[in-house]
Amino acid sequence: MQRRDFMRGFVGAGAMALAPRVVRANEQAERATRAMPSPKIKDISVIECEPDGVRLTVVKITTDQDGLYGYGCATFTQRADLVKPAVEKYLKPFLLGKTTDRIEDIWQSCYDSSYWKNGPVLNNAISGVDQALWDIKGRQAGMPVYQLAGGKCREAADTYAHASGAEFEDVVESARKNMAQGFRNIRVQVGLPGMAGYGSQHREAGRPKALHDKPLFDREEQVRRGLKLLEICRRELGDEVELLHDMHERLTPNEAVQFCKEAEQYRMFFLEDPLSPEDLGYFRQIRENCATPIAMGELFNSPHEWQPLIVNQLIDYIRVHVSQAGGFSPARKIAILAEQFGVRTAWHGPGDVSPVGHMANVTLDLVSYNFGIQEYTPFNEQTQAIFQGCPVWRDGYLWASEKPGWGIEVDEKEAAKAPFKPSQLNGGWGEIRLRDGTVIKQ
Ligand code: GCO
Ligand code: MG
């Protein structure tokens, strides 16, 4: 009671002294609110398309304000059909009528509303909503999203290209082409004769004997050819180029430790995903055995996966697939957490990220001090016809749009020309097996 009286006296005295200015400010604020009422979510739809054989999913949020809408990437190629109902049946009824002003609040309440969380389908659905809200806020402000996140730390994002081939000489040739185009960082992958290696051609010819007729893999052969490839590339391509290699979680933990240790002599920019998320405990062994830089995380969905690797400084690059982690908002937090521990970012940027998702990647690249590198996949013609305003690649760098929001317009008529195609596995992946028939991670 006493305190309230005291406050009343205080406010009263202040109000008297500042009265004209306070009143003016209040009036201005009120006028601004009247001119720009908070947009409300009027509709949420899901745009699906398959340009050049890659299934992409984008969420569109439409507001009750004329011409104000936004797009967010929700692409989960291998289970694409499940993301649409997650958005339409759960997030849409939950969000209709809510204001688009409160991005963090919406993210937290969507995340919590399923009680069980951190899975790829629901995270992608939330990402679609989250990124669409950032797009809307940027359009409202008349600014690209990178401005809303504090502005640029650098002009553009340094990228790496993919050089792949069935044989070593094909990889070297492909890398030389990339370098001639202006890439300074090259990811190299070579095929395994007659087998299903990652990131390179699968040739049936010369297939080793196996107890099955499925795509075949042999870990020892992968270790031998992988290390040989790094040796050849370093020798043939020279010291100036940065080399990267994706191990795609295919080796046993101990083989991975050995591979990283052996690769140290080739001065890698990084080795990617040497272990699967199920074997995170082995990262400490890699660290204790060598100084090869390690990138990890495209399969991560949960803070329980990235937190220990970052805070214990067990990796050098965090490589999350932004929509799998739940969108731009959580990815920004990952970047900030990583900065505190000297870990840099290398957001996953393959073909199965929509251009909206790539714009979110490059936005993070520009606003995060601890940016490391950006994986780049060129946008094919059909993708560019559907997504107008894709990030531009020039001189080795990826550039963000200067237009408001993500700066991308989705042409839904063009998208409808490239619907999801029926396929035997409905976009999912098949299996890869060892000689004896054991199924392995892809
Ligand atoms: C990469 C990745 C991709 C994934 C693909 C899965 O580093 O680019 O490993 O090629 O395999 O995105 O759908
Ligand atoms: Mg990878």
Side-chain angles (χ1 to χ4, degrees):
M1 189 67 199
Q2 236 175 10
R3 187 162 183 275
R4 217 183 289 154
D5 287 347
F6 166 75
M7 288 301 285
R8 198 180 302 149
F10 182 77
V11 170
M16 269 172 69
L18 295 170
R21 228 187 303 154
V22 170
V23 170
R24 251 199 326 272
N26 282 349
E27 274 173 5
Q28 272 167 6
E30 227 181 279
R31 263 203 306 277
T33 322
R34 253 182 276 129
M36 273 203 329
S38 290
K40 302 273 183 306
I41 298 177
K42 196 170 120 192
D43 191 24
I44 302 185
S45 57
V46 177
I47 304 164
E48 296 181 323
C49 56
E50 191 174 328
D52 222 23
V54 182
R55 293 179 171 205
L56 304 176
T57 302
V58 162
V59 169
K60 179 178 186 181
I61 295 186
T62 310
T63 73
D64 60 354
Q65 292 187 9
D66 245 10
L68 185 61
Y69 52 85
Y71 301 106
C73 183
T75 300
F76 177 13
T77 292
Q78 291 83 346
R79 293 292 184 271
D81 283 348
L82 302 181
V83 178
K84 191 172 156 77
V87 174
E88 288 178 347
K89 296 192 178 178
Y90 294 97
L91 298 184
K92 182 175 167 177
F94 182 66
L95 294 173
L96 284 184
K98 287 204 163 78
T99 172
T100 60
D101 280 355
R102 303 187 177 195
I103 303 179
E104 179 66 13
D105 182 66
I106 287 187
W107 193 92
Q108 296 293 350
S109 45
C110 288
Y111 183 63
D112 210 48
S113 79
S114 62
Y115 185 47
W116 279 280
K117 41 173 114 29
N118 297 323
V121 174
L122 299 184
N123 277 5
N124 268 289
I126 297 175
S127 165
V129 166
D130 173 74
Q131 292 185 8
L133 294 174
W134 280 103
D135 196 13
I136 289 171
K137 211 179 260 307
R139 288 168 190 251
Q140 279 179 289
M143 288 180 186
V145 177
Y146 73 74
Q147 289 287 15
L148 307 184
K152 293 181 184 176
C153 293
R154 56 190 59 78
E155 305 311 317
D158 202 2
T159 55
Y160 70 83
H162 294 177
S164 318
E167 302 299 340
F168 299 123
E169 52 272 25
D170 305 329
V171 185
V172 170
E173 196 189 317
S174 157
R176 287 210 170 106
K177 277 192 194 138
N178 288 325
M179 288 160 74
Q181 280 171 32
F183 282 102
R184 294 170 293 275
N185 316 288
I186 318 279
R187 186 191 87 164
V188 291
Q189 307 292 143
V190 72
L192 305 186
M195 294 192 223
Y198 165 73
S200 47
Q201 278 163 269
H202 169 216
R203 299 189 323 171
E204 278 302 331
R207 176 187 159 101
K209 274 205 175 116
L211 303 182
H212 59 90
D213 58 2
K214 298 283 182 233
L216 173 65
F217 185 72
D218 182 296
R219 292 193 178 108
E220 291 70 32
E221 180 67 0
Q222 174 66 59
V223 170
R224 281 191 298 273
R225 271 182 79 85
L227 288 170
K228 192 84 199 148
L229 173 71
L230 301 184
E231 182 197 326
I232 291 173
C233 287
R234 182 50 80 213
R235 194 180 63 226
E236 297 297 315
L237 300 172
D239 277 338
E240 279 87 57
V241 70
E242 297 292 348
L243 294 179
L244 302 85
H245 179 66
D246 189 348
M247 295 169 66
H248 228 253
E249 318 106 21
R250 287 210 178 166
L251 303 182
T252 64
N254 182 266
E255 280 168 343
V257 177
Q258 290 186 48
F259 192 98
C260 296
K261 191 174 169 185
E262 278 294 307
E264 194 175 17
Q265 59 190 305
Y266 305 120
R267 207 186 46 76
M268 304 299 295
F269 185 90
F270 64 53
L271 280 180
E272 172 184 338
D273 289 6
L275 300 164
S276 74
E278 292 76 19
D279 294 320
L280 295 187
Y282 280 88
F283 274 102
R284 192 170 292 285
Q285 290 195 22
I286 294 179
R287 264 295 192 255
E288 284 166 357
N289 278 284
C290 67
T292 299
I294 301 297
M296 176 68 190
E298 71 183 48
L299 281 172
F300 287 173
N301 298 291
S302 162
H304 306 305
E305 293 165 312
W306 58 76
Q307 277 169 4
L309 293 190
I310 293 173
V311 303
N312 293 305
Q313 294 161 318
L314 293 171
I315 54 171
D316 301 276
Y317 297 89
I318 181 71
R319 233 189 110 55
V320 166
H321 185 109
V322 167
S323 67
Q324 291 287 350
F328 182 79
S329 299
R332 178 96 175 103
K333 294 176 194 173
I334 295 173
I336 291 166
L337 175 73
E339 185 191 338
Q340 304 306 305
F341 291 91
V343 174
R344 296 198 280 161
T345 65
W347 307 108
H348 192 218
D352 51 332
V353 167
S354 76
V356 175
H358 281 282
M359 197 65 86
N361 281 350
V362 67
T363 298
L364 289 162
D365 298 339
L366 299 191
V367 302
S368 308
Y369 182 66
N370 55 326
F371 163 69
I373 201 162
Q374 182 57 58
E375 178 180 28
Y376 172 66
T377 313
F379 302 104
N380 58 58
E381 243 172 65
Q382 197 169 26
T383 304
Q384 293 194 46
I386 298 170
F387 296 91
Q388 290 154 15
C390 293
V392 169
W393 184 88
R394 202 174 63 239
D395 304 328
Y397 295 95
L398 200 59
W399 301 73
S401 172
E402 296 300 328
K403 292 191 178 147
W406 301 123
I408 294 180
E409 291 302 331
V410 181
D411 186 329
E412 295 193 44
K413 282 200 189 110
E414 284 295 324
K417 288 185 199 161
F420 283 0
K421 287 187 207 79
S423 68
Q424 200 203 341
L425 295 171
N426 197 22
W429 279 2
E431 70 252 56
I432 298 178
R433 295 182 182 273
L434 301 179
R435 285 170 203 247
D436 68 358
T438 308
V439 75
I440 60 145
K441 286 170 187 155
Q442 301 269 352

